[in-house]
Amino acid sequence: TEVLNAIIGQVADGATVEIPAPMIDDAVEEDLNGMRQRLAQRGLSVEAYLRLTGQDLDALRAELRPEAARRLRQSLV
């Protein structure tokens, strides 16, 4: 599995697949919802997390965006 994932990752990194922005936006929102759930399990809200990290919601979305795009690219490959 690790070898297969590494191969897929290398192919995806070299791929010139154009991923539509709305598709990436949806993946970012899914990641954000997952983060909300994980934080809630620890008794923390996203808003509290943002205050602690000195970020706003747009900055957090921007931080999550590259990884969401990478995962989408890999799944498409």
Side-chain angles (χ1 to χ4, degrees):
T1 302
E2 288 180 33
V3 171
L4 180 59
N5 287 339
I7 291 169
I8 291 171
Q10 288 178 353
V11 171
D13 289 344
T16 56
V17 176
E18 276 293 319
I19 302 172
M23 197 172 183
I24 298 172
D25 293 342
D26 289 345
V28 168
E29 289 306 313
E30 287 176 18
D31 290 349
L32 189 55
N33 287 334
M35 185 177 191
R36 276 192 173 96
Q37 291 174 354
R38 288 188 302 279
L39 287 170
Q41 290 172 348
R42 293 178 174 83
L44 200 62
S45 68
V46 170
E47 291 74 18
Y49 173 82
L50 293 172
R51 281 192 303 275
L52 289 171
T53 59
Q55 289 181 308
D56 63 14
L57 198 51
D58 289 335
L60 179 57
R61 283 186 176 110
E63 182 181 310
L64 296 172
R65 194 170 184 80
E67 177 61 20
R70 186 192 65 75
R71 273 195 333 274
L72 283 170
R73 187 173 293 106
Q74 283 189 346
S75 70
L76 290 172
V77 166

Coordinates of all heavy atoms in Angstrom, one line a residue:
T1 N 0.8 -1.2 0.0 CA 0.0 0.0 0.0 C 0.9 1.3 0.0 O 0.6 2.2 -0.7 CB -0.9 0.0 1.2 OG1 -1.7 -1.2 1.2 CG2 -1.8 1.2 1.2
E2 N 1.9 1.2 0.8 CA 2.8 2.4 0.8 C 3.5 2.7 -0.5 O 3.6 3.8 -0.9 CB 3.9 2.2 1.9 CG 3.4 2.3 3.3 CD 4.5 2.1 4.4 OE1 5.6 2.5 4.1 OE2 4.2 1.6 5.4
V3 N 3.9 1.6 -1.2 CA 4.5 1.8 -2.5 C 3.5 2.3 -3.5 O 3.8 3.2 -4.3 CB 5.2 0.4 -3.0 CG1 5.6 0.5 -4.4 CG2 6.3 0.0 -2.1
L4 N 2.3 1.7 -3.5 CA 1.3 2.2 -4.4 C 1.0 3.7 -4.1 O 0.9 4.4 -5.1 CB 0.0 1.3 -4.3 CG -1.1 1.7 -5.2 CD1 -0.7 1.6 -6.6 CD2 -2.3 0.8 -4.9
N5 N 0.8 4.0 -2.9 CA 0.6 5.4 -2.5 C 1.7 6.4 -3.0 O 1.4 7.5 -3.5 CB 0.3 5.6 -1.0 CG -1.0 5.0 -0.6 OD1 -1.9 4.9 -1.4 ND2 -1.2 4.7 0.6
A6 N 2.9 5.9 -2.9 CA 4.1 6.7 -3.3 C 4.0 6.9 -4.8 O 4.3 8.0 -5.3 CB 5.4 6.0 -2.8
I7 N 3.7 5.8 -5.5 CA 3.7 5.9 -7.0 C 2.6 6.9 -7.4 O 2.8 7.7 -8.3 CB 3.5 4.5 -7.6 CG1 4.7 3.7 -7.4 CG2 3.1 4.6 -9.1 CD1 4.6 2.2 -7.7
I8 N 1.4 6.7 -6.8 CA 0.3 7.6 -7.2 C 0.6 9.0 -6.8 O 0.3 9.9 -7.6 CB -1.0 7.1 -6.4 CG1 -1.5 5.8 -7.0 CG2 -2.1 8.2 -6.5 CD1 -2.6 5.2 -6.2
G9 N 1.3 9.2 -5.7 CA 1.7 10.6 -5.3 C 2.6 11.2 -6.3 O 2.5 12.4 -6.7
Q10 N 3.6 10.4 -6.8 CA 4.6 10.9 -7.8 C 3.9 11.2 -9.1 O 4.2 12.2 -9.8 CB 5.7 9.9 -8.0 CG 6.6 9.9 -6.8 CD 7.7 8.8 -7.0 OE1 7.7 8.1 -8.0 NE2 8.7 8.8 -6.1
V11 N 3.0 10.3 -9.6 CA 2.3 10.6 -10.8 C 1.4 11.8 -10.7 O 1.3 12.7 -11.6 CB 1.4 9.3 -11.2 CG1 0.5 9.7 -12.4 CG2 2.4 8.2 -11.5
A12 N 0.7 11.9 -9.5 CA -0.2 13.1 -9.3 C 0.6 14.4 -9.3 O 0.1 15.4 -9.8 CB -1.0 12.9 -8.0
D13 N 1.8 14.3 -8.6 CA 2.6 15.6 -8.6 C 3.0 16.0 -10.0 O 3.1 17.2 -10.2 CB 3.8 15.3 -7.7 CG 3.5 15.2 -6.2 OD1 2.4 15.6 -5.8 OD2 4.3 14.7 -5.5
G14 N 3.2 15.1 -10.9 CA 3.6 15.5 -12.2 C 2.5 15.7 -13.2 O 2.7 16.1 -14.3
A15 N 1.3 15.4 -12.7 CA 0.1 15.5 -13.6 C -0.3 17.0 -13.8 O -0.1 17.8 -12.9 CB -1.1 14.8 -13.0
T16 N -0.8 17.3 -14.9 CA -1.3 18.7 -15.2 C -2.8 18.7 -15.2 O -3.4 19.3 -16.1 CB -0.7 19.1 -16.6 OG1 -1.1 18.2 -17.6 CG2 0.8 19.3 -16.5
V17 N -3.4 18.1 -14.2 CA -4.8 18.0 -14.1 C -5.3 19.3 -13.5 O -4.9 19.8 -12.5 CB -5.3 16.9 -13.2 CG1 -6.8 16.8 -12.9 CG2 -4.8 15.5 -13.7
E18 N -6.3 20.0 -14.3 CA -6.9 21.2 -13.8 C -8.1 20.8 -12.9 O -9.0 20.2 -13.4 CB -7.4 22.1 -15.0 CG -6.3 23.0 -15.6 CD -5.8 24.1 -14.7 OE1 -6.7 24.7 -13.9 OE2 -4.6 24.3 -14.7
I19 N -8.0 21.1 -11.7 CA -9.1 20.8 -10.8 C -10.0 22.1 -10.6 O -9.4 23.2 -10.3 CB -8.6 20.4 -9.4 CG1 -7.7 19.2 -9.6 CG2 -9.8 20.1 -8.5 CD1 -7.0 18.7 -8.3
P20 N -11.3 22.0 -10.9 CA -12.1 23.2 -10.8 C -12.1 23.7 -9.4 O -12.2 23.0 -8.4 CB -13.5 22.7 -11.2 CG -13.3 21.4 -11.9 CD -12.0 20.8 -11.4
A21 N -12.1 25.0 -9.3 CA -12.1 25.7 -8.0 C -13.2 25.3 -7.1 O -13.0 25.0 -5.9 CB -12.1 27.2 -8.1
P22 N -14.5 25.1 -7.6 CA -15.6 24.7 -6.7 C -15.3 23.3 -6.1 O -15.7 23.0 -5.0 CB -16.8 24.7 -7.6 CG -16.5 25.7 -8.7 CD -15.0 25.5 -8.9
M23 N -14.7 22.5 -6.9 CA -14.4 21.1 -6.4 C -13.4 21.2 -5.2 O -13.5 20.5 -4.2 CB -13.8 20.3 -7.5 CG -13.8 18.8 -7.3 SD -13.2 18.0 -8.8 CE -13.4 16.3 -8.4
I24 N -12.4 22.1 -5.3 CA -11.4 22.3 -4.2 C -12.1 22.9 -3.0 O -11.9 22.6 -1.9 CB -10.2 23.1 -4.7 CG1 -9.5 22.4 -5.8 CG2 -9.3 23.4 -3.5 CD1 -8.4 23.2 -6.5
D25 N -13.0 23.9 -3.3 CA -13.7 24.6 -2.2 C -14.5 23.6 -1.4 O -14.6 23.6 -0.2 CB -14.7 25.6 -2.8 CG -14.0 26.8 -3.4 OD1 -12.8 27.0 -3.1 OD2 -14.6 27.5 -4.2
D26 N -15.2 22.6 -2.1 CA -16.0 21.6 -1.4 C -15.1 20.7 -0.5 O -15.4 20.4 0.6 CB -16.7 20.7 -2.4 CG -17.9 21.4 -3.1 OD1 -18.3 22.5 -2.6 OD2 -18.4 20.9 -4.1
A27 N -13.9 20.4 -1.1 CA -13.0 19.5 -0.3 C -12.5 20.3 0.9 O -12.3 19.7 2.0 CB -11.8 19.1 -1.2
V28 N -12.2 21.6 0.8 CA -11.8 22.4 1.9 C -12.9 22.5 3.0 O -12.6 22.3 4.2 CB -11.4 23.8 1.5 CG1 -11.2 24.8 2.6 CG2 -10.1 23.8 0.6
E29 N -14.1 22.6 2.6 CA -15.2 22.6 3.5 C -15.4 21.3 4.2 O -15.6 21.3 5.4 CB -16.5 23.0 2.8 CG -16.6 24.5 2.4 CD -16.3 25.5 3.5 OE1 -16.8 25.3 4.7 OE2 -15.5 26.4 3.3
E30 N -15.2 20.2 3.5 CA -15.2 18.9 4.2 C -14.1 18.8 5.2 O -14.3 18.3 6.3 CB -15.0 17.8 3.1 CG -16.2 17.6 2.2 CD -16.0 16.5 1.1 OE1 -15.0 15.7 1.3 OE2 -16.8 16.5 0.2
D31 N -12.9 19.3 4.9 CA -11.8 19.2 5.8 C -12.1 20.1 7.0 O -11.8 19.7 8.2 CB -10.5 19.7 5.1 CG -9.9 18.8 4.1 OD1 -10.4 17.6 4.1 OD2 -9.0 19.2 3.4
L32 N -12.7 21.3 6.8 CA -13.0 22.2 7.9 C -14.1 21.5 8.8 O -14.0 21.6 10.0 CB -13.6 23.5 7.3 CG -13.8 24.6 8.2 CD1 -12.6 24.9 9.1 CD2 -14.2 25.9 7.5
N33 N -15.1 20.8 8.2 CA -16.1 20.1 9.0 C -15.4 19.0 9.8 O -15.8 18.8 11.0 CB -17.2 19.6 8.1 CG -18.1 20.7 7.6 OD1 -18.2 21.7 8.2 ND2 -18.7 20.5 6.5
G34 N -14.5 18.3 9.2 CA -13.8 17.3 10.0 C -13.0 17.9 11.1 O -13.0 17.3 12.2
M35 N -12.4 19.0 10.9 CA -11.6 19.7 11.9 C -12.6 20.2 13.0 O -12.2 20.0 14.2 CB -10.9 20.9 11.3 CG -10.0 21.6 12.2 SD -9.2 22.9 11.3 CE -8.0 23.4 12.5
R36 N -13.7 20.7 12.7 CA -14.7 21.1 13.7 C -15.1 19.9 14.6 O -15.2 20.1 15.8 CB -16.0 21.6 13.0 CG -16.0 23.0 12.5 CD -17.4 23.5 12.1 NE -17.3 24.9 11.9 CZ -17.2 25.4 10.7 NH1 -17.1 24.6 9.6 NH2 -17.1 26.7 10.5
Q37 N -15.3 18.7 14.0 CA -15.7 17.5 14.8 C -14.5 17.1 15.7 O -14.7 16.8 16.9 CB -16.0 16.4 13.8 CG -17.3 16.6 13.1 CD -17.6 15.5 12.1 OE1 -16.8 14.6 11.8 NE2 -18.8 15.5 11.5
R38 N -13.3 17.1 15.2 CA -12.1 16.7 16.0 C -11.9 17.7 17.2 O -11.7 17.3 18.3 CB -10.9 16.6 15.2 CG -10.9 15.4 14.3 CD -9.5 15.3 13.6 NE -9.1 16.4 12.8 CZ -9.5 16.7 11.5 NH1 -10.4 15.9 10.9 NH2 -9.1 17.7 10.9
L39 N -12.1 19.0 16.9 CA -12.0 20.0 17.9 C -13.1 19.9 19.0 O -12.8 20.0 20.2 CB -12.0 21.4 17.3 CG -10.7 21.8 16.6 CD1 -11.0 23.1 15.8 CD2 -9.5 22.0 17.5
A40 N -14.3 19.6 18.5 CA -15.4 19.5 19.4 C -15.2 18.3 20.4 O -15.6 18.4 21.5 CB -16.7 19.3 18.6
Q41 N -14.6 17.2 19.9 CA -14.3 16.1 20.7 C -13.3 16.5 21.8 O -13.3 15.8 22.9 CB -13.7 14.9 19.9 CG -14.7 14.3 19.0 CD -14.0 13.3 18.1 OE1 -12.8 13.2 17.9 NE2 -14.9 12.5 17.4
R42 N -12.6 17.5 21.6 CA -11.6 18.0 22.6 C -12.2 19.2 23.4 O -11.5 19.8 24.2 CB -10.3 18.4 22.0 CG -9.6 17.2 21.4 CD -8.3 17.6 20.7 NE -7.5 16.5 20.3 CZ -7.7 15.8 19.2 NH1 -8.7 16.1 18.4 NH2 -6.9 14.8 18.9
G43 N -13.5 19.5 23.2 CA -14.1 20.6 23.9 C -13.8 22.0 23.4 O -13.8 22.9 24.1
L44 N -13.4 22.0 22.1 CA -12.9 23.3 21.6 C -13.7 23.6 20.3 O -14.0 22.7 19.6 CB -11.4 23.2 21.2 CG -10.6 24.5 21.1 CD1 -10.6 25.3 22.3 CD2 -9.2 24.1 20.6
S45 N -14.0 24.9 20.1 CA -14.7 25.3 18.9 C -13.7 25.8 17.9 O -12.6 26.1 18.2 CB -15.7 26.4 19.2 OG -15.0 27.6 19.5
V46 N -14.1 25.8 16.6 CA -13.2 26.4 15.6 C -12.9 27.8 15.9 O -11.8 28.3 15.7 CB -13.9 26.3 14.2 CG1 -13.1 27.0 13.1 CG2 -13.9 24.8 13.8
E47 N -13.9 28.6 16.4 CA -13.7 30.0 16.7 C -12.6 30.1 17.8 O -11.7 31.0 17.7 CB -15.0 30.6 17.2 CG -16.0 30.8 16.1 CD -16.7 29.4 15.6 OE1 -16.7 28.5 16.4 OE2 -17.2 29.4 14.5
A48 N -12.6 29.2 18.8 CA -11.6 29.3 19.9 C -10.3 28.9 19.3 O -9.2 29.5 19.6 CB -12.0 28.3 21.0
Y49 N -10.2 27.9 18.4 CA -9.0 27.5 17.8 C -8.4 28.7 17.0 O -7.2 28.9 17.0 CB -9.2 26.3 16.9 CG -8.0 25.9 16.0 CD1 -7.0 25.2 16.5 CD2 -7.9 26.4 14.7 CE1 -5.9 24.8 15.8 CE2 -6.9 26.0 13.9 CZ -5.8 25.3 14.4 OH -4.7 25.0 13.7
L50 N -9.3 29.4 16.3 CA -8.8 30.5 15.5 C -8.2 31.6 16.3 O -7.2 32.2 16.0 CB -9.9 31.1 14.6 CG -10.4 30.1 13.5 CD1 -11.7 30.7 12.8 CD2 -9.3 29.9 12.5
R51 N -8.9 31.9 17.5 CA -8.4 32.9 18.4 C -7.0 32.5 18.9 O -6.1 33.3 19.0 CB -9.3 33.1 19.6 CG -10.5 34.0 19.2 CD -11.3 34.4 20.5 NE -11.8 33.3 21.3 CZ -12.9 32.6 21.1 NH1 -13.7 33.0 20.1 NH2 -13.3 31.6 21.8
L52 N -6.9 31.2 19.3 CA -5.6 30.7 19.8 C -4.5 30.7 18.8 O -3.3 31.0 19.1 CB -5.7 29.2 20.3 CG -6.6 29.0 21.5 CD1 -6.8 27.5 21.7 CD2 -5.8 29.5 22.7
T53 N -4.8 30.5 17.5 CA -3.8 30.5 16.5 C -3.6 31.9 15.8 O -2.7 32.1 15.0 CB -4.1 29.5 15.4 OG1 -5.4 29.8 14.8 CG2 -4.1 28.1 16.0
G54 N -4.5 32.8 16.2 CA -4.4 34.2 15.6 C -4.8 34.2 14.1 O -4.3 35.1 13.4
Q55 N -5.6 33.3 13.7 CA -6.1 33.2 12.3 C -7.5 33.6 12.2 O -8.2 33.7 13.2 CB -6.0 31.8 11.8 CG -4.6 31.3 11.5 CD -4.6 29.8 11.0 OE1 -5.3 29.0 11.6 NE2 -4.0 29.6 9.9
D56 N -7.9 33.9 11.0 CA -9.4 34.0 10.7 C -9.8 32.8 9.8 O -8.9 32.0 9.4 CB -9.7 35.3 10.1 CG -9.1 35.6 8.7 OD1 -8.6 34.6 8.1 OD2 -9.2 36.7 8.3
L57 N -11.1 32.7 9.6 CA -11.6 31.5 8.9 C -11.1 31.5 7.5 O -10.7 30.4 6.9 CB -13.1 31.5 8.9 CG -13.8 30.2 8.6 CD1 -13.3 29.1 9.4 CD2 -15.3 30.4 8.7
D58 N -10.9 32.6 6.8 CA -10.4 32.7 5.5 C -8.9 32.2 5.4 O -8.5 31.5 4.5 CB -10.5 34.1 4.9 CG -11.9 34.4 4.5 OD1 -12.8 33.5 4.3 OD2 -12.2 35.6 4.5
A59 N -8.1 32.6 6.4 CA -6.7 32.1 6.5 C -6.7 30.6 6.7 O -5.8 29.9 6.1 CB -6.0 32.9 7.6
L60 N -7.5 30.1 7.5 CA -7.6 28.6 7.8 C -7.9 27.9 6.5 O -7.3 26.9 6.1 CB -8.5 28.3 8.9 CG -8.7 26.8 9.2 CD1 -7.3 26.2 9.6 CD2 -9.7 26.6 10.3
R61 N -8.9 28.4 5.8 CA -9.3 27.8 4.5 C -8.1 27.8 3.5 O -7.9 26.8 2.8 CB -10.5 28.5 3.9 CG -11.8 28.2 4.5 CD -13.0 28.8 3.8 NE -14.3 28.4 4.4 CZ -15.1 29.2 5.1 NH1 -14.7 30.5 5.3 NH2 -16.2 28.7 5.6
A62 N -7.4 28.9 3.5 CA -6.3 29.0 2.6 C -5.2 28.0 3.0 O -4.5 27.5 2.1 CB -5.7 30.5 2.6
E63 N -5.0 27.8 4.3 CA -4.1 26.8 4.7 C -4.4 25.4 4.4 O -3.6 24.6 4.0 CB -3.9 27.0 6.3 CG -2.9 26.1 6.9 CD -2.9 26.2 8.4 OE1 -2.8 27.4 8.9 OE2 -3.0 25.2 9.1
L64 N -5.7 25.1 4.4 CA -6.2 23.8 4.1 C -6.2 23.5 2.6 O -6.2 22.3 2.1 CB -7.6 23.6 4.6 CG -7.8 23.6 6.2 CD1 -9.2 23.6 6.6 CD2 -7.0 22.5 6.8
R65 N -6.3 24.5 1.8 CA -6.5 24.4 0.3 C -5.5 23.6 -0.4 O -5.8 22.7 -1.2 CB -6.6 25.8 -0.3 CG -7.2 25.8 -1.7 CD -7.5 27.2 -2.1 NE -8.1 27.2 -3.4 CZ -9.4 27.0 -3.7 NH1 -10.2 26.7 -2.6 NH2 -9.9 27.0 -4.9
P66 N -4.1 23.8 -0.2 CA -3.2 23.0 -1.0 C -3.3 21.5 -0.7 O -3.2 20.7 -1.7 CB -1.8 23.5 -0.5 CG -2.1 24.9 0.1 CD -3.5 24.8 0.6
E67 N -3.5 21.1 0.5 CA -3.6 19.7 0.8 C -4.9 19.1 0.2 O -4.9 18.0 -0.3 CB -3.6 19.4 2.3 CG -3.8 18.0 2.7 CD -2.7 17.1 2.2 OE1 -1.6 17.5 1.9 OE2 -3.0 15.8 2.2
A68 N -6.0 19.8 0.2 CA -7.2 19.4 -0.4 C -7.0 19.2 -1.9 O -7.5 18.2 -2.5 CB -8.3 20.4 -0.1
A69 N -6.3 20.1 -2.5 CA -6.1 20.1 -4.0 C -5.2 18.9 -4.3 O -5.4 18.1 -5.3 CB -5.5 21.3 -4.5
R70 N -4.2 18.6 -3.4 CA -3.3 17.5 -3.6 C -4.1 16.2 -3.6 O -3.9 15.3 -4.4 CB -2.2 17.5 -2.6 CG -1.1 16.4 -2.9 CD -0.2 16.3 -1.7 NE -0.8 15.8 -0.5 CZ -1.2 14.5 -0.3 NH1 -1.0 13.6 -1.2 NH2 -1.8 14.2 0.8
R71 N -4.9 16.0 -2.5 CA -5.7 14.8 -2.4 C -6.6 14.6 -3.6 O -6.8 13.5 -4.1 CB -6.5 14.9 -1.1 CG -5.8 14.4 0.1 CD -6.7 14.1 1.3 NE -8.0 14.9 1.3 CZ -8.1 16.1 1.8 NH1 -7.1 16.7 2.4 NH2 -9.3 16.7 1.8
L72 N -7.3 15.7 -4.0 CA -8.2 15.6 -5.2 C -7.4 15.1 -6.4 O -7.8 14.3 -7.2 CB -8.9 16.9 -5.5 CG -10.0 17.3 -4.6 CD1 -10.4 18.7 -4.8 CD2 -11.2 16.3 -4.8
R73 N -6.2 15.7 -6.6 CA -5.4 15.4 -7.8 C -5.0 13.9 -7.7 O -5.1 13.2 -8.7 CB -4.1 16.2 -7.8 CG -3.3 16.1 -9.1 CD -2.2 17.0 -9.2 NE -2.7 18.4 -9.4 CZ -2.6 19.4 -8.5 NH1 -2.1 19.1 -7.3 NH2 -3.1 20.6 -8.7
Q74 N -4.6 13.4 -6.5 CA -4.3 12.0 -6.4 C -5.5 11.1 -6.7 O -5.4 10.1 -7.3 CB -3.7 11.7 -5.0 CG -2.3 12.2 -4.8 CD -1.7 11.7 -3.5 OE1 -2.4 11.3 -2.6 NE2 -0.4 11.8 -3.5
S75 N -6.7 11.5 -6.2 CA -7.8 10.6 -6.4 C -8.2 10.6 -7.9 O -8.7 9.6 -8.4 CB -9.0 11.1 -5.5 OG -9.5 12.3 -5.9
L76 N -8.0 11.7 -8.6 CA -8.3 11.7 -10.0 C -7.3 10.9 -10.8 O -7.7 10.3 -11.8 CB -8.4 13.2 -10.5 CG -9.5 14.0 -10.0 CD1 -9.4 15.5 -10.4 CD2 -10.9 13.5 -10.5
V77 N -6.1 10.9 -10.4 CA -5.1 10.1 -11.1 C -5.4 8.7 -10.8 O -5.3 7.8 -11.7 CB -3.7 10.5 -10.6 CG1 -2.6 9.5 -11.1 CG2 -3.3 11.9 -11.1

